Amino acid sequence: MTAIFAENTRLPEGWVSNVRLAISGDRIAAIEIDAVAETDDHVVHTLLPALGNLHSHSFQRAMAGMTEVRADGRDSFWTWRELMYRFLDKLTPEAIEAIAAQVFLEMLEAGYSSVGEFHYVHHQPGGAPYDTLSETGQRILAAAAETGIGLTLLPVLYSHGGAGGKDLTSGQARFGNQPDRFGRLVEELRHTARAGSTDTVVGIAPHSLRATTPGTLAAAVAAHGEGPIHIHIAEQTAEVADVEAWLGARPVAWLLDTLPVDDRWCLVHATHMTALETRAMAESRAVAGLCPITEANLGDGIFDGVDYLAHGGAFGIGSDSNIRIALGEELRTLEYGQRLRDRSRNRMRTGAGSVGANLYLSSARGGAAALGRDAGEIAVGRLADLVAINGSDAALCALAGDSVLDGLVFAAPETVVRDVWSAGRHVIRDGQHPKRSAITARYAATLKQLLEAA
């Protein structure tokens, strides 16, 4: 039994002082309020539910800073994608594991306790499968085990190169699977996951409507059974136009009208929606997977968070391309996008109250739901996904109650994160991962090898 004593704790019902929290295995076993710290307790200033990072392509972290040079003509998501295809052709399974370990370490140090890895680099350069079909997915599982992060692994079904069932391009060859082979790949990963951490989840991720067809998508969903289903949708206006020309409906409308979308689903980005689509998605109980830093970096557009919240929509955040892994910055970029569009302040909340608290706590609940993780709040019986922050930091020391979350989102540096527990594993102590030196050295060596091979 592990015990944490917190001077201040955000429980579902509000803030309480002097909480003693007991962890047994991977779960919160007891919560004592108005307690007194005992000798062996781990004492923290402020204890919060930790967020899950619901959308990550870990390998893209190694490209950070390499695509910010303007080319002739107009740069866009599509020109960035071509650069990404050329980069990933150099990745070995060993490189995929080393990069993922660095990314997962950085997520933990940023205050995330878990991640949804949307993993689509399945095969060798050229498209031939590895001897072990799930080789690269096994590397993601190994990186999660090394760092201790909670993992929802989302192997990606990517069968076509564009809307209308187009053939895969050479740059997409490493992604490609039809439903039968995809099913075998998923089952291999589930077999490995069952032998690992009890909180590891394996879901599925049909990449997008443009990378599947109605038949392959329906087959994958029907074969999946229980567990998370994630899909990229309506990220780009060209994607929306292509899907509408092909299927006779916009992507979000088509998906909601055609498949049984519910709270198992995470619709990633969903940037370009009509008012009717926004309302229908909110009412479906699917989680909007928002990645504000990446969406800004790629010039995607701005999700209509205000209207979505007005209809009771659930959301969480992810770091997607991992160009920068910063939890508070994801949340404030989400809010600032709404402010810039509307030329108004304090947008991501319905009714009066703390915007920071709504951003943080809603993302904790939405992220947990999207990852199929029994977490998202501090309560007995839930997974012990927890983060301790230094409320004495200069950015937070004058704040109390939910204003602490305003300070965390809008003002505090990342260094206020002091401890993180993932399913009871104490993975960050004094702001740092214990394996940081070894993991970062391996990552740096991997980047050097990749650059030499370019």
Side-chain angles (χ1 to χ4, degrees), residues 345-428:
R345 299 191 73 247
N346 295 325
R347 306 302 289 149
M348 287 294 289
R349 184 181 180 100
T350 55
S354 163
V355 172
N358 192 57
L359 286 165
Y360 188 94
L361 299 173
S362 295
S363 295
R365 293 189 296 268
L371 298 180
R373 215 169 157 77
D374 187 17
E377 61 182 24
I378 299 176
V380 172
R382 294 294 188 94
L383 285 174
D385 282 6
L386 306 164
V387 58
I389 63 172
N390 176 18
S392 299
D393 184 88
L396 302 176
C397 63
L399 305 176
D402 279 349
S403 292
V404 171
L405 294 174
D406 291 323
L408 179 63
V409 170
F410 294 106
E414 285 78 12
T415 52
V416 298
V417 173
R418 305 311 300 156
D419 294 90
V420 175
W421 291 262
S422 175
R425 299 179 292 270
H426 195 173
V427 285
I428 299 299

Side-chain angles (χ1 to χ4, degrees), residues 219 257 332:
D257 289 344
R332 66 177 169 267

Side-chain angles (χ1 to χ4, degrees), residues 150-220:
L151 177 66
T152 295
L153 181 57
L154 298 157
V156 170
L157 174 63
Y158 203 120
S159 303
H160 297 281
K166 294 177 182 176
D167 291 339
L168 295 170
T169 67
S170 59
Q172 298 162 332
R174 299 191 74 176
F175 313 159
N177 283 299
Q178 294 300 322
D180 287 349
R181 187 168 72 178
F182 178 70
R184 297 197 302 275
L185 184 150
V186 172
E187 189 49 46
E188 283 186 13
L189 292 171
R190 285 179 175 152
H191 178 76
T192 303
R194 284 192 288 268
S197 299
T198 56
D199 59 305
T200 301
V201 175
V202 178
I204 62 168
H207 179 274
S208 56
L209 295 186
R210 57 186 163 81
T212 57
T213 62
T216 57
L217 178 56

